[in-house]
Amino acid sequence: MQTVLSGIRSTGHLHLGNYFGALRNFVRIQDDYNCYYFIADLHSLTTHPHPDDFHANVRTILAEYLAAGLDPEKVTIFVQSDVPEVSELYVLLNMISYKGELERTTTFKDKVRLAKAKARNVRLEDVAEDDHNDEGINISAGLLTYPVLMAADILIHRADFVPVGKDQEQHLEYARVLARRFNNMYGEEVFTEPRAFNFGSGLIKVPGLDGSGKMGKSEGNGIYLYDDEKTITKKVMKALTDSGPVEPNSPMPECIENLFTLMALVSEPSTVEYFKEKWNDCSIRYGDLKKQLAADICKVTLPIRERIDAIYNDDAYLHKVVSEGRDKARTSASATLALARKAMGFKVF
Ligand code: TRP
């Protein structure tokens, strides 16, 4: 059986983007692959969460994974920091990673640029691409080496496939680079080159409710699995719309298309068709569309929400899931780490 691995940073509740883009598919493939799903708590440290929140954030993702249907009998669910082998491999991989290539990573460059814009109180566009002035900003080395830690996550289980969104493609490519470089340097096939996993239907981009772009944690435009009916309805009713079509069969502006994209994910095809016809003959009423959309989102998320609290508060169950997951993950991780150490020349006295 081939191995699939994916992680999510513990930085708050899961939203519909996480659910439709990833989690729902994780559940669908749990019988067909040897799956590892983990909570990337070490990665969450790049943004310095308050110690009081750190553990609760991990627990939140764990409870939401389980509530959405991931079955610990079928897949390995674990917490990144419970597997110290990952941190050791991270040290080893740092030795074959180059500062220049890490500095060229898009996510890193974007974060640095954002930090500079904030520190100088200017717009993002006002920071030149080739600006090298680091004064007044503190970019952690952990942010620079984020892709190395992510490569360690992936390579330590010799994952064949990693389901990733567009924004993580470059990081996955870097894991491939490091696997190849290590194998070439030490002359052994220690690591497997991971490939992107495609769930068949093509990549779904789940849009936000603010008219443009995707749903994201940091964008503040999301609907969360943990939102209650009232919150969901309020958010959907407030979603950006235009003043309505004036000519039959006109192209949709992005904000309206986004509502239809969401609808296609949660509603019956006949419902989507109904509102498309109303759009095309200019009789559409956005209030009706939104009411329907909110109701259909609730149909998907409320049963999950109902399970989240019970799981979140079940200490014994969570302890069991996490400790069994840790044991399975450590068995796999220590086997790979031993191969890497041997290839590099480590020897036990
Ligand atoms: N960087 C990923 C994200 O922000 C999270 C992540 C960490 C990950 N390690 C991983 C994803 C390993 C896949 C595989 O979404």
Side-chain angles (χ1 to χ4, degrees), residues 270-334:
S270 57
T271 308
V272 183
E273 241 355 89
Y274 172 83
F275 284 102
K276 275 215 171 119
E277 275 167 28
K278 298 243 155 212
W279 165 269
N280 282 333
D281 67 16
C282 302
S283 67
I284 193 161
R285 297 211 322 226
Y286 291 142
D288 295 345
L289 172 85
K290 288 174 169 179
K291 244 185 243 157
Q292 182 73 45
L293 177 59
D296 291 340
I297 290 174
C298 286
K299 249 192 233 158
V300 175
T301 61
L302 292 189
I304 298 174
R305 176 188 153 80
E306 263 175 40
R307 290 190 289 267
I308 294 174
D309 279 333
I311 296 174
Y312 187 93
N313 292 308
D314 193 340
D315 287 333
Y317 177 59
L318 292 182
H319 177 77
K320 180 169 179 287
V321 169
V322 161
S323 46
E324 287 177 6
R326 176 197 57 213
D327 290 349
K328 283 195 265 176
R330 287 198 72 181
T331 302
S332 153
S334 53

Side-chain angles (χ1 to χ4, degrees), residues 5-9 38 40 43 146 150 153-154 162 164 168:
L5 173 141
S6 188
I8 188 156
R9 268 177 310 143
F38 69 96
H43 276 115
Y146 185 109
M150 182 159 157
D153 290 328
I154 298 167
V162 182
V164 284
Q168 298 294 315

Side-chain angles (χ1 to χ4, degrees), residues 69 83 98 133-134 143 153 176 224 275 310 319 333:
V83 183
Y98 308 136
N133 179 5
D134 280 350
L143 201 60
D153 290 328
R176 295 166 56 82
Y224 294 85
F275 284 102
H319 177 77

Side-chain angles (χ1 to χ4, degrees), residues 138-199:
N138 291 315
I139 294 294
S140 84
L143 201 60
L144 179 67
T145 57
Y146 185 109
V148 185
L149 181 55
M150 182 159 157
D153 290 328
I154 298 167
L155 300 183
I156 203 144
H157 296 295
R158 309 175 93 179
D160 298 292
F161 295 110
V162 182
V164 284
K166 263 245 151 292
D167 59 327
Q168 298 294 315
E169 270 175 356
Q170 200 180 17
H171 292 159
L172 179 61
E173 185 51 37
Y174 196 60
R176 295 166 56 82
V177 166
L178 289 183
R180 222 173 303 145
R181 187 174 296 159
F182 186 100
N183 291 347
N184 285 337
M185 229 161 149
Y186 296 106
E188 286 181 51
E189 290 301 304
V190 171
F191 296 119
T192 304
E193 276 186 47
R195 279 174 289 161
F197 189 76
N198 194 329
F199 289 109

Side-chain angles (χ1 to χ4, degrees), residues 16 83 111 115 123 126 131 135 146 165 182 205 224 307 328:
L16 292 187
V83 183
K111 293 234 162 75
R123 288 177 315 162
D126 296 332
D131 181 303
E135 221 174 305
Y146 185 109
F182 186 100
K205 192 180 102 181
Y224 294 85
R307 290 190 289 267
K328 283 195 265 176

